[in-house]
Amino acid sequence: MAITNAVSSHLVLVAALATCLVPVAILVNQIVPEAYMDEIFHVPQAQEYCRGNLAKWDPMITTFPGLYLVSLVYTGMLLPGAKFLGVASSLPELCSLAVLRSVNVGLAVVCSLLFFNIVRHLEPKKSERNALSKAFLLSLYPLHWFFTFLYYTDVGSTTAVMAMYLAGLKRAYWISSLFAAIAIMFRQTNVVWAIFVTCVGILDILKPPMDSNNGVQKKELLHNSSSDGTLWMLSKDSDDAQSMRRRRAAAKSDSNSISPDTVVQQNGSKISEVQGLVWEVHTLAKQTWIKRTSVLQSFGPLLMVILAFVAFVFYNGSIVVGAKDAHKVSAHFSQLCYFGLAAASAMAPVHFSPLRVYHAARHFRKPHTWAFALGGFCLAFLAVHYFSFAHPYLLADNRHYTFYLWKNVIRAHWSAKYCLIPLYLYSWWSIFNCLGGKERKLWILVLFVGTGGVIVPAPLIEFRYYTVPVYIIALHCGMGQDHEFIKSSLVALIYVVINVVTMYLFLYRPFQWAHEPGVQRFIW
């Protein structure tokens, strides 16, 4: 019965999504029948693969051939049916632009199924209907939705990462390593998410001796491993603090709120969140070393994929395959500021609700939070002042949202980029606060470092690079228990409006460049 329900749920999701995707895909192929922007590189390369020319490579392509290999398998599966219907008689004939674009439509459907299964795993108490609604909602995320209809690497990359993550959550690490290799073949920076899955898996496996609910086991571990008893005291303080947090959390009206940065214990002393984080890191390191054999056995496949990629980088001299001069590694720390605001905006009804802003005001009104707020402001100021870069592609290309945001918002006045700092800080506070209601501090730290590892080295401000961490945050953060339906409906409405406007501009508002022939179209 359970299997039947699961299959029916999957079919409902596939049918609902296909109903939305297929008409738009047909419309895009009718109005834009020629390759556009990055498609001018991807499509010819895929067609070379369809001809069997696997050794031929366009030096302007920066990624591995994951998209083309998947397309080759996809078109090979379609070929018998195409021959039967008289549509195409050979693989090169079948590899048209429309067919290649349909690869991402199929991958988007698969990705929605992965969203559904991840939600079911993370929130087993959530009803199937709500899980389906959330999976469908995530499939409407504007960046993901738009590139579903073009022959880009984004949808395939996201799908492979989600498959890797789901397998990791289910502790199927051999399968997870296979999808990690596929994800890296789509986009090299996905190696960071392979590391993330590895770290999360280690946290999951070593959770029992570190869990605050298993205090006796944790105290025995620390008592045996610490000669001076310092960690024993940290453990005791952490347990007391955890108990106090739970009592405080029960009294809060906002279900997504977590405790403040410093908690008063029963004996009057204080323990900070930083101390708790240091304790977790220390304990994890000790447990990983103690159980190193089992850890290596479990995560060996993922580690092999990661090490193989590291070897490639040393051999290649760069993370990208081609166009190395245009994709040099940078220290673009302001990307973290932009991402925080973008990720919070992606779930705006959750992060910018009046109640949440009120809780933020109460939180930062307390004296002991000022040090953290001041530290965060200083770091954000340094990032914005010294590490804000304008890539030549950003300045020269008015076909993207980022061009107008940079020109009309960030560079509207010399002070504008500094005035946005409080908004950046609030966005990150809201994200951390929301995640803190469900995940441990060390998990959040791993996600933050992983996000930085993906976006900080990128000199170009590109919202497409934010997609995977935005999804991970959305999957773990949720809408909260209060007014969940209303918040979900508002998010869906925002996504639909953005998707309709962006697609309308792309399809029906082409324009010309004086310095370059051809039709230009607005794109994410």
Side-chain angles (χ1 to χ4, degrees):
M1 185 66 179
I3 296 176
T4 303
N5 290 337
V7 172
S8 62
S9 298
H10 289 165
L11 290 176
V12 168
L13 183 57
V14 169
L17 200 57
T19 302
C20 298
L21 293 177
V22 173
V24 180
I26 293 173
L27 188 64
V28 170
N29 284 310
Q30 287 178 344
I31 298 177
V32 190
E34 297 180 353
Y36 184 68
M37 286 195 70
D38 287 5
E39 286 186 325
I40 64 174
F41 305 110
H42 294 309
V43 172
Q45 185 61 58
Q47 291 173 341
E48 289 295 337
Y49 273 51
C50 289
R51 297 187 188 99
N53 300 329
L54 301 184
K56 190 170 182 179
W57 187 257
D58 185 341
M60 291 301 296
I61 296 175
T62 62
T63 55
F64 289 140
L67 177 62
Y68 320 127
L69 293 173
V70 169
S71 301
L72 188 60
V73 174
Y74 171 79
T75 51
M77 294 170 60
L78 293 181
L79 185 58
K83 285 183 177 179
F84 177 77
L85 296 173
V87 176
S89 59
S90 64
L91 202 58
E93 186 180 354
L94 183 60
C95 285
S96 64
L97 175 61
V99 171
L100 290 175
R101 283 175 173 172
S102 70
V103 171
N104 279 336
V105 175
L107 287 172
V109 173
V110 173
C111 196
S112 69
L113 297 176
L114 293 169
F115 290 147
F116 172 72
N117 285 281
I118 292 173
V119 171
R120 293 291 287 165
H121 181 89
L122 294 176
E123 302 178 75
K125 294 182 180 179
K126 185 183 284 288
S127 67
E128 289 215 0
R129 172 182 286 186
N130 288 339
L132 284 171
S133 298
K134 185 168 183 177
F136 186 81
L137 174 63
L138 293 175
S139 298
L140 296 179
Y141 174 61
L143 271 298
H144 181 74
W145 172 268
F146 184 85
F147 289 102
T148 295
F149 307 106
L150 298 179
Y151 193 61
Y152 273 57
T153 60
D154 297 80
V155 176
S157 170
T158 302
T159 303
V161 171
M162 291 299 119
M164 170 180 63
Y165 189 40
L166 177 60
L169 290 173
K170 292 181 176 294
R171 298 190 178 186
Y173 298 118
W174 276 99
I175 298 175
S176 185
S177 66
L178 173 63
F179 285 115
I182 295 174
I184 293 169
M185 289 294 287
F186 272 96
R187 183 169 289 169
Q188 289 92 312
T189 52
N190 286 336
V191 69
V192 173
W193 301 118
I195 297 172
F196 171 78
V197 170
T198 303
C199 293
V200 169
I202 293 174
L203 281 171
D204 185 37
I205 284 181
L206 301 182
K207 185 175 182 179
M210 297 177 63
D211 188 51
S212 61
N213 295 326
N214 195 357
V216 175
Q217 193 173 3
K218 181 169 62 178
K219 289 175 182 177
E220 289 178 353
L221 165 68
L222 293 174
H223 182 71
N224 293 332
S225 62
S226 179
S227 58
D228 59 2
T230 302
L231 289 178
W232 167 281
M233 293 305 297
L234 276 177
S235 174
K236 182 179 184 302
D237 290 347
S238 180
D239 288 337
D240 292 340
Q242 289 283 356
S243 178
M244 180 65 74
R245 291 192 193 103
R246 284 194 293 271
R247 289 197 297 272
R248 289 186 174 186
K252 289 187 176 182
S253 59
D254 185 3
S255 62
N256 283 334
S257 296
I258 59 173
S259 56
D261 295 306
T262 307
V263 211
V264 181
Q265 298 180 67
Q266 292 176 348
N267 61 4
S269 63
K270 294 181 179 180
I271 176 172
S272 70
E273 293 287 335
V274 175
Q275 285 177 298
L277 182 60
V278 170
W279 179 87
E280 282 196 25
V281 172
H282 187 281
T283 307
L284 179 68
K286 276 189 170 294
Q287 280 298 288
T288 303
W289 176 252
I290 292 170
K291 299 184 177 182
R292 56 189 178 276
T293 302
S294 61
V295 167
L296 286 174
Q297 287 176 348
S298 298
F299 299 99
L302 278 166
L303 293 173
M304 288 172 59
V305 172
I306 294 167
L307 291 175
F309 179 78
V310 171
F312 159 78
V313 173
F314 276 103
Y315 172 79
N316 187 53
S318 173
I319 192 173
V320 297
V321 178
K324 297 178 182 178
D325 292 337
H327 295 82
K328 294 180 179 179
V329 174
S330 68
H332 199 175
F333 289 106
S334 59
Q335 288 267 38
L336 286 169
C337 297
Y338 309 145
F339 171 81
L341 180 55
S345 299
M347 306 292 283
V350 176
H351 296 289
F352 294 101
S353 67
L355 181 60
R356 196 159 192 80
V357 174
Y358 169 72
H359 278 294
R362 288 186 59 191
H363 180 80
F364 286 105
R365 190 174 59 188
K366 298 176 181 179
H368 59 261
T369 62
W370 281 99
F372 292 95
L374 181 61
F377 183 88
C378 291
L379 291 175
F381 180 88
L382 292 174
V384 168
H385 186 74
Y386 292 106
F387 300 99
S388 293
F389 305 135
H391 194 280
Y393 290 175
L394 173 65
L395 299 176
D397 198 337
N398 66 343
R399 296 171 293 183
H400 305 276
Y401 280 114
T402 49
F403 172 87
Y404 300 97
L405 289 172
W406 181 265
K407 177 184 175 182
N408 299 324
V409 179
I410 297 176
R411 291 298 184 186
H413 187 265
W414 70 266
S415 62
K417 63 180 182 180
Y418 305 110
C419 293
L420 290 171
I421 290 177
L423 195 55
Y424 298 148
L425 293 178
Y426 170 81
S427 298
W428 271 115
W429 172 86
S430 185
I431 291 169
F432 288 151
N433 185 268
C434 190
L435 291 173
K438 295 185 178 181
E439 303 298 336
R440 300 155 68 192
K441 294 182 291 292
L442 192 51
W443 188 99
I444 298 172
L445 177 63
V446 171
L447 176 61
F448 180 78
V449 173
T451 301
V454 171
I455 63 178
V456 168
L460 180 63
I461 302 173
E462 178 61 84
F463 289 149
R464 292 188 295 137
Y465 303 158
Y466 299 172
T467 300
V468 170
V470 164
Y471 271 140
I472 293 176
I473 291 171
L475 285 165
H476 285 266
C477 192
M479 298 290 177
Q481 298 300 320
D482 296 332
H483 311 297
E484 180 176 1
F485 175 77
I486 295 176
K487 291 178 182 177
S488 298
S489 300
L490 287 174
V491 172
L493 178 61
I494 292 170
Y495 286 178
V496 170
V497 170
I498 293 174
N499 289 334
V500 169
V501 170
T502 306
M503 190 57 70
Y504 173 80
L505 293 173
F506 174 69
L507 295 177
Y508 298 108
R509 285 292 182 266
F511 54 94
Q512 300 284 334
W513 277 351
H515 62 280
E516 185 175 316
V519 175
Q520 307 302 327
R521 297 181 182 275
F522 187 82
I523 194 173
W524 265 104

